[in-house]
Amino acid sequence: MSPARTTYDVVVAGGGHNGLVAATYLSRAGLAVLVLERLDHLGGAAVAAPSFPGHAARVSRHAQLASIPASVVADLGLDLDLLPRPEPAYPPLSPPSASYDAWREVWADAVDLAHVVEATVLEPLPLEREVRERLDPGLWRDFVTTPLATTLEQRIDDDLTRGLVGATALAGASFSLAEPSLRGNRSFLHHALGLARGGWRVPRGGMGAVTAALAASASDAGVEVVTGAGVSAVRGSDDAAEVTWHDGEQFHTVATRWVLADVAPWVLRILLGEGDDPETKPEGAQVKVDLLLDRLPDLASGDDPAAAFAGTLRLDSGLDAIEAAAAAAAAGEVPDAPPLEVHCPTLVDRSPLGAHAPDGQHLLSLLVQHVPVSLFTTDVVARQGLVVERALATLDRHLTAPLESCVARDADGQPCIEARLPHDVEAELGMPGGHPFHGDLDWPWAPNRALLDTPARQWGVASDVGSVLVCGAGARRGGGVTGIAGHNAAQAVLAAH
Ligand SMILES: Cc1cc2nc3c(=O)[nH]c(=O)nc-3n(C[C@H](O)[C@H](O)[C@H](O)COP(=O)(O)OP(=O)(O)OC[C@H]3O[C@@H](n4cnc5c(N)ncnc54)[C@H](O)[C@@H]3O)c2cc1C
């Protein structure tokens, strides 16, 4: 399909949720905006689709929970309902106990810190010292300058409770929470920011409803969208650019004042002509296993499964086990007991199951951590089988009967189980290494000495080329289904235009 014009104010490369947020803000402000999406549909990782033949259930294939600021939902007039979960997390802790109290205190402090930062994420970047001045020095020390594992060891006595907190920092990449690089702290803060924003919520209708609402809002605003358009080159200077794409039959090129990249920064560098650099390629480390169940399994503890699975159930994730899994992954092995996060979004909203789903049917997803893309360069099928087997074994240890007895069968009589490896995510979405955040997260503030001399730098969305901005997960304050990176890239364009 050809575009309507030869020149635009803004071309957005990639129609993920952030690309759509940016495009809609800018089109509403009167700019001519073209979105180019390589796939035949929009949404990137924020999509749902039927996965199991013979069943209507639509699986949120990648992301399941969203934390979009209420102001973005209101600004864009999104027809979207983000449902809170009854148990945001399900810790096997019981008050009163020292563990429970320590767990609550750590979270209360983390969320206090997150509230201060959260107030800045839709504004130009604060400097590090400006954030620090607004915080209790103890919070800064515990969550920003001390490796997360050390803080948890100092503040919580038992290993399992430390792990319940630490596991929230395992967001699809593999690293030790003791690392001096503080990657774990940045990831933990990202999670806490979502809590401060009102929580990580289940979109009514599944993740596809987020994209449907954004696409409708973009269309109302006059955004032009071309799907099946794989961008192959971006040439830019400080004040103009050209974007070339292929539609399966031929190349097209348009001129534009701004390019917004919803692709990962690592991919953007290739589009800008720098060649691919294996050294700096992001590495995702999460396998998602989706299952359709005829009924929820019974827990050996006797807890109500409807309560346990409605939040985020973390199993076998003591801090020692998490660190052992990180070490195994770093040594090139599938961990014996990879940390596991279990979600059942249909306990909050049954609509993704379809109108005629039998009572008791549910979608369950297992997020298996510390299984980096590098583990799957050989023996892919065998290693994928091993990961699924070990994840199910972890869950089974907590059930009265193996989960397999609850799994529905598809139209061909096969169990409804689907596993997606990091390189499947890369092949499907172009996320390098299957890294869910397009690369490791940055701190959500600017270093004290940062040169913030352009709106793009002030908003944390600059690339090396003046006319090209990052509007996706790889922006500072990007990552996750939040729309924040899209909002911020749009504000940077409006401030400069
Ligand atoms: C398995 C998994 C589970 C996750 N779970 C959660 C979760 O529960 N909650 C949460 O908040 N986050 C989650 N995430 C992370 C979250 O989904 C992403 O960070 C977020 O969706 C990124 O959105 P985006 O718009 O920035 O980029 P993307 O969603 O990556 O969109 C980029 C778009 O660009 C397109 N594209 C790529 N290359 C080109 C090209 N050359 N030309 C044109 N188009 C191109 C892609 O097809 C895609 O549509 C998860 C991610 C994964 C992979």
Side-chain angles (χ1 to χ4, degrees):
M1 195 173 115
S2 297
R5 314 161 52 123
T6 53
T7 304
Y8 289 84
D9 296 315
V10 180
V11 173
V12 182
H17 85 283
N18 271 315
L20 294 173
V21 168
T24 308
Y25 271 107
L26 292 169
S27 194
R28 283 179 165 218
L31 277 62
V33 183
L34 172 67
V35 173
L36 298 171
E37 167 55 48
R38 169 181 153 261
L39 298 174
D40 64 1
H41 59 269
L42 295 169
V47 289
S51 280
F52 305 118
H55 293 282
R58 296 178 68 83
V59 175
S60 293
R61 293 172 70 84
H62 308 286
Q64 311 174 87
L65 305 174
S67 183
I68 304 175
S71 64
V72 172
V73 174
D75 286 352
L76 302 184
L78 299 182
D79 182 12
L80 179 63
D81 206 359
L82 297 175
L83 302 169
R85 295 179 297 161
E87 291 280 345
Y90 179 78
L93 298 169
S94 48
S97 72
S99 295
Y100 181 81
D101 292 346
W103 176 82
R104 272 192 38 169
E105 278 167 23
V106 167
W107 274 121
D109 282 356
V111 172
D112 274 356
L113 179 147
H115 273 296
V116 170
V117 179
E118 177 55 20
T120 68
V121 298
L122 296 173
E123 293 176 357
L125 284 167
L127 291 176
E128 178 184 319
R129 70 163 172 275
E130 291 166 346
V131 179
R132 187 177 182 157
E133 279 161 8
R134 286 175 221 167
L135 283 168
D136 178 294
L139 295 189
W140 187 265
R141 180 199 60 222
D142 283 359
F143 297 111
V144 181
T145 58
T146 307
L148 185 62
T150 309
T151 294
L152 297 178
E153 280 159 8
Q154 287 169 350
R155 295 191 50 171
I156 301 175
D157 284 338
D158 78 286
D159 177 63
L160 200 60
T161 312
R162 290 173 183 159
L164 277 177
V165 182
T168 61
L170 307 180
S174 187
F175 43 73
S176 160
L177 298 179
E179 239 179 52
S181 73
L182 302 172
R183 275 195 284 180
N185 297 55
R186 293 196 290 275
S187 188
F188 178 68
L189 178 54
H190 170 82
H191 183 83
L193 285 169
L195 299 183
R197 204 177 294 138
W200 295 95
R201 295 184 170 211
V202 176
R204 188 188 298 283
M207 200 37 90
V210 172
T211 293
L214 285 167
S217 172
S219 169
D220 286 352
V223 173
E224 189 183 335
V225 173
V226 179
T227 53
V231 174
S232 55
V234 174
R235 286 169 296 276
S237 63
D238 275 351
D239 46 21
E242 273 185 356
V243 178
T244 299
W245 73 94
H246 199 269
D247 65 6
E249 287 179 7
Q250 55 177 318
F251 284 101
H252 301 263
T253 298
V254 290
T256 180
R257 170 64 185 85
W258 302 99
V259 176
L260 298 190
D262 192 28
V263 300
W266 189 84
V267 173
L268 175 61
R269 285 196 287 276
I270 297 174
L271 299 180
L272 286 166
E274 288 178 29
D276 85 20
D277 174 12
E279 287 292 309
T280 56
K281 186 170 181 180
E283 194 175 57
Q286 168 175 279
V287 171
K288 181 165 181 266
V289 185
D290 287 298
L291 304 104
L292 184 67
L293 305 182
D294 287 328
R295 58 185 168 81
L296 287 178
D298 288 324
L299 285 155
S301 64
D303 285 311
D304 176 7
F309 290 107
T312 300
L313 183 63
R314 296 198 162 85
L315 293 172
D316 287 4
S317 301
L319 187 58
D320 290 346
I322 291 174
E323 290 297 276
E333 292 158 19
V334 176
D336 288 339
L340 191 62
E341 201 177 292
V342 186
H343 295 265
C344 182
T346 47
L347 279 167
V348 178
D349 167 33
R350 286 187 65 77
S351 62
L353 294 166
H356 306 294
D359 284 352
Q361 191 178 71
H362 278 290
L363 284 165
L364 193 76
S365 79
L366 315 180
L367 283 172
V368 191
Q369 305 291 347
H370 285 314
V371 279
V373 65
S374 54
L375 292 182
F376 304 99
T377 46
T378 56
D379 300 332
V380 180
V381 175
R383 286 194 156 202
Q384 170 172 330
L386 191 61
V387 170
V388 174
E389 188 185 298
R390 288 185 177 171
L392 291 177
T394 296
L395 188 49
D396 284 349
R397 280 196 288 279
H398 298 269
L399 304 179
T400 54
L403 185 66
E404 213 181 327
S405 60
C406 303
V407 176
R409 300 269 158 176
D410 68 15
D412 304 320
Q414 297 301 313
C416 296
I417 302 181
E418 186 179 54
R420 206 165 279 108
L421 304 180
H423 65 233
D424 297 328
V425 172
E426 175 162 18
E428 209 171 301
L429 299 176
M431 285 181 166
H435 195 305
F437 297 153
H438 294 183
D440 287 334
L441 293 165
D442 284 323
W443 291 115
W445 48 74
N448 290 332
R449 291 170 184 275
L451 181 66
L452 301 177
D453 58 342
T454 64
R457 291 185 181 133
Q458 288 152 9
W459 283 90
V461 296
S463 78
D464 294 341
V465 178
S467 57
V468 180
L469 275 51
V470 178
C471 74
R476 206 178 267 273
R477 308 185 284 189
V481 181
T482 69
I484 292 171
H487 168 275
N488 290 351
Q491 301 313 308
V493 167
L494 294 175
H497 197 67

